[in-house]
Amino acid sequence: MLCEDIMKTDVESVSPIDTIADAARKMRDENLGFLPVCDETLQVLGTITDRDIAIRGVAESLPGSTPVEDVMTSEVVSCSPKDTVDTALQLMAENHKSRIMCLDDEGRLVGVISLSDIAQLVGDASDTLRQVSDREVTN
């Protein structure tokens, strides 16, 4: 099975100049904990999670007007839509990520796969879940 077969293509994202308050509202309204950070061409620059906002924003007493780029994670873990789901699982496990972005050949966002998406469709994502969860113990 290929990543393009299971990736979600209706992906919400934010700009690096959007505020963390805007990102938090979007997460609340869309029931998300993760947003890709993209430029106007959908080139992925990083990600922001609810945890980034809490730990790097709120815990540091930053105002809601703080730009996303000040608290986002610049590390991008991604795969191609043409990669196998096994490749996505391996990348998620190696990088302790529960989500992976699918990028086209130009590095533009075309989809996102979460570990729960894989678990629902594939059935056995327990090893990856265990490896992703290891970050909670080691970090």
Side-chain angles (χ1 to χ4, degrees):
M1 183 178 293
L2 299 180
C3 291
E4 66 187 356
D5 297 327
I6 67 168
M7 69 184 191
K8 290 181 178 152
T9 57
D10 58 337
V11 180
E12 294 288 333
S13 65
V14 291
S15 152
I17 59 172
D18 286 339
T19 68
I20 59 174
D22 291 336
R25 278 190 290 276
K26 187 175 274 195
M27 288 178 187
R28 178 199 62 204
D29 294 348
E30 300 295 330
N31 194 28
L32 301 169
F34 158 93
L35 291 167
V37 180
C38 301
D39 68 13
E40 60 280 347
T41 67
L42 288 183
Q43 189 85 25
V44 177
L45 307 172
T47 64
I48 188 164
T49 64
D50 48 5
R51 181 172 168 81
D52 293 330
I53 293 170
I55 302 299
R56 297 183 191 147
V58 176
E60 296 297 324
S61 300
L62 297 178
S65 60
T66 301
V68 163
E69 64 190 346
D70 289 357
V71 299
M72 73 181 200
T73 299
S74 296
E75 175 191 15
V76 175
V77 178
S78 65
C79 62
S80 164
K82 299 293 184 188
D83 286 339
T84 65
V85 172
D86 286 340
T87 298
L89 279 169
Q90 180 180 352
L91 288 166
M92 292 165 83
E94 288 171 2
N95 293 282
H96 306 286
K97 303 292 183 188
S98 59
R99 301 166 197 93
I100 190 165
M101 292 179 282
C102 295
L103 308 182
D104 67 13
D105 293 337
E106 287 78 40
R108 289 186 304 258
L109 181 67
V110 293
V112 170
I113 300 171
S114 70
L115 187 55
S116 62
D117 295 332
I118 295 171
Q120 289 174 8
L121 294 171
V122 177
D124 184 23
S126 60
D127 287 339
T128 304
L129 179 58
R130 191 172 13 269
Q131 291 175 0
V132 167
S133 298
D134 283 346
R135 78 167 174 213
E136 301 300 324
V137 176
T138 59
N139 290 343

